[in-house]
Amino acid sequence: MKIALDRVNENYHFELKNERGHIVNVDNRSEFGGDDLGPSPMELVLMGVAGCSAIDMISILKKQRQEIISFKAEVEGDRVQVGEAKPFKDIHVVFYLEGPINEEKAARAAQLSFEKYCSVSKTLEPTATIHYKVVLNGVELAKI
């Protein structure tokens, strides 16, 4: 896996490209001297958690023949000062699923994603605690 980075302007706007040619823009927020022309690197980390776990969950639920009408997620990160850096300490993920989905299967899919499959979450696991919950058809599910 390889990523190329090119600086776009004199501030902190960068264009990143993967080996398949997909492009993502990254920038710093304006209050930190950037032009806010893309998400920050730390926001990309949260996006990675959301995307990775969503792929896992949808894959698991599709194999179980569950009909997913809508799938959304919200991810929020709490950071802590460690020297000059501010890594994530806690990450909170809420999945919102709609459809005729079995409650146990939805809860188990989330559990499997975070405990077994999601490489992004596993990468963050040594330094951040990931908390998650599933809301199915407007009702929050109890964790397994």
Side-chain angles (χ1 to χ4, degrees):
M1 193 176 291
K2 186 176 179 181
I3 302 295
L5 177 144
D6 286 317
R7 189 173 181 196
V8 176
N9 68 15
E10 67 283 351
N11 289 325
Y12 306 106
H13 182 199
F14 301 98
E15 180 180 279
L16 294 103
K17 187 184 296 186
N18 68 7
E19 293 173 297
R20 296 180 316 281
H22 300 290
I23 295 171
V24 173
N25 285 278
V26 174
D27 202 346
N28 209 352
R29 292 170 19 181
S30 55
E31 60 262 32
F32 301 118
D35 297 312
D36 206 11
L37 297 172
S40 73
M42 292 301 279
E43 289 169 326
L44 285 176
V45 171
L46 296 180
M47 289 178 184
V49 170
C52 184
S53 58
I55 289 170
D56 291 341
M57 287 185 65
I58 289 172
S59 174
I60 292 165
L61 293 169
K62 283 177 95 174
K63 287 176 186 170
Q64 296 174 338
R65 295 181 174 20
Q66 299 298 295
E67 182 185 354
I68 305 164
I69 293 171
S70 174
F71 188 104
K72 297 179 182 182
E74 292 178 352
V75 182
E76 200 170 323
D78 301 324
R79 298 170 70 179
V80 62
Q81 195 77 41
V82 177
E84 297 299 314
K86 286 181 69 179
F88 289 116
K89 179 172 177 30
D90 290 287
I91 296 173
H92 305 272
V93 184
V94 182
F95 297 105
Y96 298 93
L97 286 74
E98 298 283 334
I101 302 165
N102 178 281
E103 290 182 15
E104 290 80 21
K105 289 180 180 183
R108 182 76 173 135
Q111 180 185 29
L112 285 170
S113 176
F114 288 112
E115 293 181 8
K116 188 173 183 180
Y117 296 117
C118 181
S119 299
V120 177
S121 297
K122 287 297 190 186
T123 300
L124 297 170
E125 204 170 70
T127 57
T129 303
I130 299 179
H131 311 271
Y132 63 91
K133 64 182 174 182
V134 177
V135 177
L136 177 59
N137 299 317
V139 177
E140 184 176 333
L141 303 182
K143 277 190 175 182
I144 290 178

